[in-house]
Amino acid sequence: MDAEAAAAEGQVRHWTADVNGISLHVAERGAADAPAVLLIHGFPELWLSWRHQMAALAARGFRALAPDLRGYGDSSVPTDPAAYSILHLVGDLVALLDHLQLTKVFVVGHDWGAMVAWHLCLFRPDRVRAAVVLGIPYFPRGPRPMTDSFAKLGDGFYINQFQEPGRAERAFARYDVATVLKKFYALKIDEMIAPPGVEIIDFLQAPSSPIPWMTDEELGRYAEKFEKTGFTGPLNYYRMLETNWRLTAPWSGSKITVPAKFILSKNDVGLQSFGTEKYVKSGALKENVPDLEISIIEGHHFVQQEEAGTVNSEILSFLGKFPSEGGSA
């Protein structure tokens, strides 16, 4: 870690809180009485994925709070797959806000963190001032689970492979953890679908050169945590998709009423296979999230790290539209 990075890291405070029956590790940057921004990471990531946003938010007078979600990093890793439902994930964050005595916060989410952010807005709009969501739009609950649609993509589709307990873990174990992570972080393909008979982790390529937006030292920090926790917790998020469909029946037909900004990367994986691009550009997303702004920017999937400056500008410009309410905000 160079001197500048060490100085920046020194401004990040780390602590844990016992909330919702687990221990949640939180990285924090910025004044404790400043308007709070809750940053929710995705797969396979950590609080560290928000390092650039935390610095930018703190410099602009916000309090950045970036937890390791359950199953990740220095937070608890429950063994029961049922402990990873969307109600648990959102419940952890609501409990964290209660622990901090924060009535309302800004929320920023990416990938699985986007799913959690949308559902935090859906379940508890009273706790969210506004949301910025990266990569995954809000898809309202359909008449059938998403896993039914995914089944049509075949066994090579990564989410289908993730459904079987132990399958992906066994495949991942053929590589060192840093290589597994690098295969995901270097994603530049249109679809996460492996050829017949091939595991997705074998299909993905790990570049021989460093990832342009991540130092080897940063990759090592991610790898250290995943070596400790393994991948079962994060994979259990995918294994709860059908359960989540059943659990969210009370919100069927509900819209997201919280003011929101959705950021779409032009080269994100799955834009075509999920119909994401058409859904966003056709106006259908705005029907489900009426108070919505949409920004389409350069970049691939891990855009908050790859295009940090652009993402920081997008987040700060949006949050700047809301008057300051101090720490409770």
Side-chain angles (χ1 to χ4, degrees), residues 183-254:
K183 281 171 173 269
F184 283 109
Y185 296 159
L187 274 177
K188 288 190 176 181
I189 57 177
D190 293 330
E191 295 182 321
M192 288 272 282
I193 302 176
V198 177
E199 296 298 308
I200 193 69
I201 200 67
D202 297 330
F203 174 64
L204 298 178
Q205 300 298 310
S208 55
S209 57
I211 298 169
W213 43 265
M214 180 182 289
T215 67
D216 285 341
E217 187 271 339
E218 287 167 342
L219 178 62
R221 293 174 68 189
Y222 282 99
E224 178 189 356
K225 298 303 181 184
F226 281 97
E227 283 168 2
K228 182 190 78 169
T229 62
F231 289 95
T232 297
L235 289 165
N236 281 337
Y237 284 52
Y238 294 92
R239 294 166 185 158
M240 292 302 291
L241 285 171
E242 188 170 336
T243 298
N244 289 343
W245 179 79
R246 294 196 297 270
L247 291 173
T248 53
W251 292 273
S252 187
S254 296

Side-chain angles (χ1 to χ4, degrees), residues 68-100:
D68 285 333
L69 299 187
R70 65 166 61 203
Y72 285 89
D74 292 318
S75 292
S76 296
V77 184
T79 55
D80 185 358
Y84 293 88
S85 80
I86 195 67
L87 297 185
H88 289 84
L89 305 178
V90 173
D92 292 346
L93 300 181
V94 172
L96 177 62
L97 300 187
D98 290 345
H99 174 81
L100 293 169

